[in-house]
Amino acid sequence: MDEIKLEWERAMAEKNCERLLDLFDDYIDSIEDEEELRRELERLKEVVVECEDPYELAHEILHVYSHLGDIEAGIEPYRRLVDMKKDDPEEYATALYYLADAYEHAGMPEKAIEVYQKLLKHEEEVLKNEKEIALTLANLAVNYDEIGETEKAIELMNRAREIFEKLGDEKNYLISLLDLAHFKYELGDYDAAEELIREVLRNPRDDEIEINAKLIEAEIWAGRGDYDRAFKALREALVKAINVSDDIFGVVFDTLIDFISGLLDEGSYEAIFRNMEGLAELFEDDTSYFFRAIGELAKWKAGNDEAKKRFEEFYSMVKNEELREILDEWKRPKLTLSLGL
């Protein structure tokens, strides 16, 4: 650890931000005292604003401050960078974007909107880059949706969509359609959402766009109460995600688990056990037993006592601790409280 500290101090003295980023996790994790950690972060904040490319290291600093419950301290370097870059129109736009993005990731959409609006004004009046204007409009739309102003989000995303279409930027055009479909779904306009998804799936697309389209399609079918078609869309997303990346697969898998959990909570057991075998057959490891266990759990909860034994058999074959924890949570009886009045 002394060697890492020496390396850290050398990088700090040289203001070598690339090396500081390499050392960050190991060095910061080694600091056990919170006051010492805060002192080190304050030192690092003075260095990061002088980095040629400061934003990745700033993100790591913000992440640690968020764990300390001090988001404002983590945001401070981004604000300083905005002030420092005002004389360079391009760098100023970049600093505004990262400040807005930091607020967004910190769960502060109102603040993100304020900064994105400043960025939009700068792009429209100074830089006049249509693609960047459209991207900022899209970011504004997502944050307006986050605070419940979905109609405003649709208006802004439609403006972004029109620009992407005019520029021939197919990927961002399709992504804007996905966002619009999600917004329409949130407003309960399932027909409009479905039409947008059909348009996305008719066009050439990359795997990630297709996966996200299938996730929104699943939302639409679930909203209509057609759980079998929702499961079909989720299965198709899962099949595609297996060959894309671990991160994308994780998003789809978590979405699927949340969907099953919701169905268990509302007692839609039949829809679950009808669809688990189709998911189980996608896997050759103990994930297959995990889904078969869910199917038997649903039958058990529906009143089939014989399914309990089959559930326990499949459960015993699941070696992955995270999957077992999910099953442990789901098999517990739900506690309800009532007041005797």
Side-chain angles (χ1 to χ4, degrees):
M1 191 50 63
D2 288 343
E3 184 179 341
I4 291 177
K5 185 171 176 57
L6 285 172
E7 281 285 307
W8 179 265
E9 291 301 332
R10 186 179 300 118
M12 289 283 280
E14 295 172 354
K15 298 179 181 176
N16 184 341
C17 295
E18 187 175 345
R19 184 63 181 143
L20 288 169
L21 189 60
D22 290 339
L23 295 168
F24 187 88
D25 287 341
D26 288 337
Y27 182 66
I28 293 299
D29 287 348
S30 73
I31 302 174
E32 297 180 358
D33 180 73
E34 183 175 322
E35 288 306 312
E36 182 184 350
L37 176 58
R38 286 179 177 275
R39 286 194 297 272
E40 200 59 43
L41 290 171
E42 287 298 319
R43 289 180 64 209
L44 190 56
K45 281 159 61 175
E46 294 303 314
V47 172
V48 73
V49 294
E50 298 185 40
C51 294
E52 183 177 345
D53 185 5
Y55 298 107
E56 195 171 349
L57 186 55
H59 176 78
E60 295 298 330
I61 295 169
L62 175 59
H63 183 69
V64 176
Y65 271 117
S66 68
H67 279 292
L68 295 173
D70 193 354
I71 294 294
E72 286 300 324
I75 293 286
E76 183 192 350
Y78 293 95
R79 287 198 296 262
R80 288 179 62 186
L81 284 162
V82 167
D83 289 337
M84 292 167 64
K85 305 294 185 181
K86 280 184 176 175
D87 293 335
D88 184 324
E90 293 285 352
E91 289 292 327
Y92 179 58
T94 300
L96 282 172
Y97 166 76
Y98 279 106
L99 175 58
D101 185 66
Y103 277 128
E104 191 173 341
H105 282 91
M108 303 169 73
E110 293 91 347
K111 288 285 190 181
I113 287 169
E114 288 179 19
V115 181
Y116 277 130
Q117 285 172 334
K118 285 184 185 177
L119 176 58
L120 181 64
K121 186 173 188 292
H122 179 67
E123 287 168 340
E124 289 177 333
E125 295 180 0
V126 180
L127 298 181
K128 303 181 190 296
N129 182 316
E130 286 195 280
K131 180 175 179 177
E132 294 302 322
I133 289 169
L135 289 169
T136 301
L137 286 166
N139 283 322
L140 270 168
V142 169
N143 281 277
Y144 270 109
D145 178 63
E146 191 68 25
I147 63 173
E149 294 191 30
T150 306
E151 294 284 3
K152 178 71 171 177
I154 289 172
E155 175 196 330
L156 291 165
M157 192 62 74
N158 269 320
R159 287 175 60 193
R161 175 189 59 78
E162 289 169 1
I163 297 172
F164 290 135
E165 186 174 23
K166 184 178 75 172
L167 295 175
D169 186 341
E170 184 182 58
K171 182 170 183 178
N172 280 311
Y173 172 71
L174 293 175
I175 291 170
S176 70
L177 294 185
L178 288 176
D179 284 322
L180 283 167
H182 180 68
F183 298 159
K184 294 287 187 180
Y185 158 79
E186 288 189 321
L187 292 178
D189 191 349
Y190 301 142
D191 290 344
E194 185 182 2
E195 180 56 37
L196 287 162
I197 291 300
R198 278 204 298 265
E199 184 176 347
V200 172
L201 294 175
R202 276 197 301 266
N203 285 279
R205 58 197 177 272
D206 65 20
D207 289 340
E208 192 170 341
I209 287 176
E210 184 174 356
I211 288 165
N212 280 293
K214 287 295 176 182
L215 293 181
I216 297 170
E217 186 179 42
E219 286 183 330
I220 296 165
W221 288 120
R224 287 172 166 158
D226 192 336
Y227 298 143
D228 289 334
R229 294 181 81 164
F231 268 119
K232 181 176 182 291
L234 286 168
R235 186 183 187 278
E236 290 169 350
L238 200 63
V239 168
K240 183 68 68 172
I242 287 171
N243 298 314
V244 174
S245 73
D246 289 344
D247 287 344
I248 297 297
F249 177 82
V251 169
V252 177
F253 193 85
D254 289 346
T255 302
L256 175 60
I257 295 305
D258 287 345
F259 179 54
I260 295 171
S261 181
L263 293 182
L264 285 169
D265 287 344
E266 71 176 45
S268 297
Y269 305 127
E270 188 176 345
I272 297 172
F273 63 69
R274 271 202 312 267
N275 288 281
M276 288 306 99
E277 185 59 32
L279 294 167
E281 66 187 17
L282 297 178
F283 299 91
E284 296 180 356
D285 60 6
D286 59 346
T287 310
S288 64
Y289 302 126
F290 168 72
F291 283 114
R292 291 188 174 103
I294 295 171
E296 296 304 324
L297 177 63
K299 292 177 185 177
W300 176 20
K301 286 180 174 287
N304 184 339
D305 291 336
E306 293 179 4
K308 179 181 179 182
K309 181 179 179 182
R310 294 192 296 272
F311 167 78
E312 295 294 350
E313 288 172 357
F314 286 126
Y315 177 88
S316 68
M317 298 181 202
V318 178
K319 305 305 178 187
N320 183 296
E321 285 300 321
E322 291 182 7
L323 298 182
R324 287 174 73 97
E325 286 174 9
I326 294 169
L327 294 172
D328 287 338
E329 175 65 26
W330 286 349
K331 72 180 180 181
R332 293 191 190 103
K334 294 292 180 186
L335 298 178
T336 58
L337 299 177
S338 61
L339 293 175
L341 298 177

